[in-house]
Amino acid sequence: MDRQPPSQPHGGLPMALGAYLIWGVMPLYLRLVHWVPPYELIGWRIICTLPICLLIVALRREHGALLRALANPRVVGALLVSSVLIAVNWTIYVVAIQSGHIFAASLGYYINPLANVLFGTLFLGERLSRRQWLAVGLAALGVSLLAWDARDMLWISLSLAVSFSSYGLVRKLAPVESLPGLTIETLLMLIPAALVTAWFAQGPDGSAMGRDLASSGLLAFSGAMTAIPLLLFAAAARRMDYSALGMVQFLAPTIVFIIGLGVFGEPLRPSQLACFACIWTAIAVFVWDILARRRAASGEQAPA
């Protein structure tokens, strides 16, 4: 259990795409529950995530893996760190979205892939080819253009990027699979979440849960919106190079920007257009490098 499975760069790609697609449409869900105070929403997210995790554990009969993880102090310690990091990330993101700082929040997830590349090279010994470094440089140029426009709220973006990259790094290194790991994370966060929701329930407006069936259903759905992408992400993080995982992540903030333009009516500034051009050129270069290396590997393996 203490051994980490080797990275499988292509094996985790569908899971990564699924996670980032869901996170990309997250602002639409947050718009539906805008009436819930941000900190109370975080509390209910945690509370509603736990039953989903336990149900999946029961369906997949992973009780043994969950109990073994709980009995391993190294695993619990790592997951305590990851649970704090993801709670910080959720809180900053929800508060930023609910406060109207959608651009700054989105920028955080444009910076995050660059942080993934940095963490992968510093802590995981990953090495990038020259074409991949070219892709990273193009992406960094694009992100810099956005960062200059959002420099007043840059602390939001940097906090989101660092907290989520750190979370992903801990989950990649933690010797536990995605489902037992997320279940333990929610267990560790359950008491603080219950205290937060109880505090709001004693306030003048009462609890956001239980006002009516539709509102309660929307709030309970936060569990699915939390559990499913995190399970996919954690599984992808253990199967992919961290740098490659970061490049895939550009999908989520791009969807957020499109939603901002089409749903929230935000104007498309020249800096955003230039950023998109740089980032999608970078992704094209990154994919080109992957395909080129795959062809080279196939040629080497072909019989003479």
Side-chain angles (χ1 to χ4, degrees):
M1 180 175 180
D2 289 336
R3 294 183 61 190
Q4 181 181 333
S7 293
Q8 305 167 29
H10 309 299
L13 182 59
M15 289 172 277
L17 290 173
Y20 293 138
L21 179 62
I22 295 172
W23 280 326
V25 300
M26 181 68 77
L28 295 177
Y29 171 74
L30 294 178
R31 190 179 193 184
L32 293 175
V33 293
H34 65 90
W35 48 274
V36 183
Y39 297 105
E40 185 179 5
L41 177 59
I42 297 299
W44 284 116
R45 283 185 73 173
I46 295 167
I47 293 170
C48 295
T49 296
L50 183 58
I52 294 176
C53 290
L54 293 175
L55 176 62
I56 300 175
V57 166
L59 292 174
R60 295 178 58 176
R61 299 182 179 180
E62 294 195 25
H63 311 81
L66 178 60
L67 293 175
R68 286 193 298 273
L70 282 169
N72 188 327
R74 178 187 171 193
V75 170
V76 174
L79 293 175
L80 178 61
V81 174
S82 65
S83 64
V84 171
L85 289 168
I86 198 62
V88 169
N89 182 269
W90 287 348
T91 302
I92 295 172
Y93 184 75
V94 172
V95 171
I97 294 293
Q98 302 288 55
S99 302
H101 298 301
I102 299 173
F103 182 48
S106 302
L107 176 59
Y109 293 103
Y110 268 122
I111 297 174
N112 182 228
L114 303 179
N116 280 15
V117 171
L118 178 63
F119 285 10
T121 54
L122 288 179
F123 302 115
L124 301 176
E126 297 176 1
R127 295 292 180 264
L128 274 64
S129 68
R130 281 182 292 181
R131 280 191 294 254
Q132 289 176 334
W133 277 118
L134 173 61
V136 171
L138 288 169
L141 174 61
V143 169
S144 298
L145 296 173
L146 287 182
W148 179 254
D149 267 4
R151 55 193 179 278
D152 292 341
M153 291 287 107
L154 193 57
W155 69 270
I156 294 176
S157 307
L158 292 175
S159 299
L160 286 171
V162 172
S163 61
F164 195 73
S165 288
S166 301
Y167 170 78
L169 181 64
V170 173
R171 286 307 309 268
K172 183 173 180 67
L173 296 176
V176 60
E177 287 297 329
S178 56
L179 180 56
L182 180 58
T183 305
I184 295 172
E185 284 175 340
T186 52
L187 280 169
L188 292 170
M189 293 187 284
L190 185 61
I191 292 178
L195 291 174
V196 169
T197 55
W199 187 82
F200 276 96
Q202 298 301 315
D205 296 328
S207 175
M209 182 68 80
R211 295 184 181 181
D212 58 71
L213 185 60
S215 299
S216 298
L218 271 176
L219 193 50
F221 188 64
S222 65
M225 289 293 291
T226 299
I228 294 172
L230 278 178
L231 286 171
L232 292 171
F233 172 80
R238 288 178 61 78
R239 289 164 174 80
M240 295 179 67
D241 289 340
Y242 206 48
S243 301
L245 180 66
M247 295 303 291
V248 179
Q249 189 177 353
F250 281 120
L251 175 65
T254 298
I255 294 173
V256 172
F257 266 118
I258 292 172
I259 289 174
L261 294 172
V263 178
F264 294 96
E266 293 189 359
L268 179 62
R269 294 188 290 274
S271 61
Q272 293 174 344
L273 193 58
C275 173
F276 290 156
C278 289
I279 284 173
W280 286 102
T281 301
I283 292 172
V285 171
F286 205 87
V287 171
W288 170 40
D289 180 75
I290 290 175
L291 294 175
R293 286 192 295 164
R294 186 184 298 179
R295 285 195 299 269
S298 299
E300 291 173 0
Q301 294 171 4

